[in-house]
Amino acid sequence: QKEVEQDPGPLSVPEGAIVSLNCTYSNSAFQYFMWYRQYSRKGPELLMYTYSSGNKEDGRFTAQVDKSSKYISLFIRDSQPSDSATYLCAMTLNDYKLSFGAGTTVTVRA
Amino acid sequence: DAGITQSPRHKVTETGTPVTLRCHQTENHRYMYWYRQDPGHGLRLIHYSYGVKDTDKGEVSDGYSVSRSKTEDFLLTLESATSSQTSVYFCAISDPTGQGALSLGYTFGSGTRLTVV
């Protein structure tokens, strides 16, 4: 079993829809949780990060962490074609090593 | 990608030849990483470095070696390239000794697309 599980999709939604992405993990000691966005033929870029449990909102993006269920989510409201990308979750105890999910490919149709 | 560059961006090489990929950073970050990214496998860590001349293996290190003689440069060498090493290679940097959660995140380069024929 992988340490971090993420459904690869692909996920296709119409413009304006809410995109819901999630990851599950097995190591209950993870403390910091991140979401990366990767456009085609580019490197991943850090989109959001959260510490421990709870929600964090940044514009149209909301990240949620449920440590009791070992489950994290990313929601994109009012999705735009420019949100079409692969989204990777990542998490760490509190050190140099990040554990990544495999990534979910999202297409937002105009 | 600000502060981190990879070269070359694309390379085609023949089976059995040695290949070296370069990662250069201007952020003075302590940690540097080499990943490969393949469909169905996501990002897989090849090697990482935690300082000059300090390196360690990742989960898919067979067939790869690395060197770090300066803080800013991290080289990945395929000693004798094979078709299974056709992939996109990403370098990343981090400075986990910095302040706050943001310091734990990685900054990635733009990638090197390697094809072994």
Side-chain angles (χ1 to χ4, degrees):
Chain A
Q1 182 189 3
K2 292 183 179 179
E3 199 170 37
V4 180
E5 299 279 359
Q6 183 177 9
D7 187 340
L11 191 61
S12 179
V13 300
E15 183 175 358
I18 295 175
V19 177
S20 174
L21 305 168
N22 56 74
C23 292
T24 59
Y25 60 94
S26 57
N27 189 345
S28 58
F30 284 136
Q31 294 187 54
Y32 294 90
F33 304 89
M34 303 173 195
W35 286 94
Y36 283 79
R37 178 175 60 195
Q38 184 179 18
Y39 290 118
S40 180
R41 296 183 176 269
K42 299 288 187 181
E45 56 179 345
L46 183 61
L47 184 63
M48 293 187 72
Y49 64 93
T50 57
Y51 170 69
S52 194
S53 286
N55 294 0
K56 184 174 182 179
E57 191 171 315
D58 183 3
R60 296 184 294 110
F61 298 87
T62 300
Q64 290 184 350
V65 175
D66 182 349
K67 291 194 73 177
S68 63
S69 301
K70 288 184 276 188
Y71 187 92
I72 69 170
S73 301
L74 177 71
F75 299 97
I76 308 173
R77 292 183 301 281
D78 187 25
S79 58
Q80 304 295 310
S82 59
D83 295 325
S84 297
T86 297
Y87 292 82
L88 300 95
C89 62
M91 47 201 78
T92 180
L93 279 69
N94 183 14
D95 59 15
Y96 70 93
K97 184 178 184 296
L98 286 186
S99 296
F100 287 91
T104 301
T105 299
V106 175
T107 300
V108 181
R109 308 185 306 272
Chain B
D1 299 284
I4 178 171
T5 54
Q6 291 184 234
S7 58
R9 291 297 310 275
H10 299 87
K11 186 170 182 65
V12 179
T13 192
E14 292 186 350
T15 299
T17 60
V19 178
T20 295
L21 309 182
R22 180 177 183 247
C23 179
H24 178 78
Q25 61 145 330
T26 58
E27 303 296 321
N28 200 35
H29 282 355
R30 179 181 172 194
Y31 281 80
M32 299 185 75
Y33 313 82
W34 277 108
Y35 283 87
R36 59 178 292 174
Q37 187 176 41
D38 305 285
H41 293 278
L43 288 167
R44 291 184 289 175
L45 182 64
I46 304 171
H47 282 279
Y48 68 96
S49 169
Y50 48 96
V52 174
K53 298 191 189 304
D54 292 323
T55 65
D56 206 349
K57 296 178 179 180
E59 60 180 301
V60 291
S61 59
D62 288 347
Y64 301 94
S65 63
V66 290
S67 66
R68 191 170 179 197
S69 59
K70 298 185 291 185
T71 298
E72 56 266 34
D73 290 325
F74 192 32
L75 305 180
L76 176 71
T77 297
L78 289 66
E79 302 291 347
S80 178
T82 67
S83 59
S84 65
Q85 293 175 313
T86 292
S87 186
V88 181
Y89 291 86
F90 287 102
C91 177
I93 60 175
S94 74
D95 182 21
T97 56
Q99 292 294 320
L102 188 57
S103 70
L104 299 174
Y106 294 178
T107 301
F108 284 86
S110 297
T112 294
R113 190 170 295 270
L114 177 68
T115 303
V116 183
V117 298

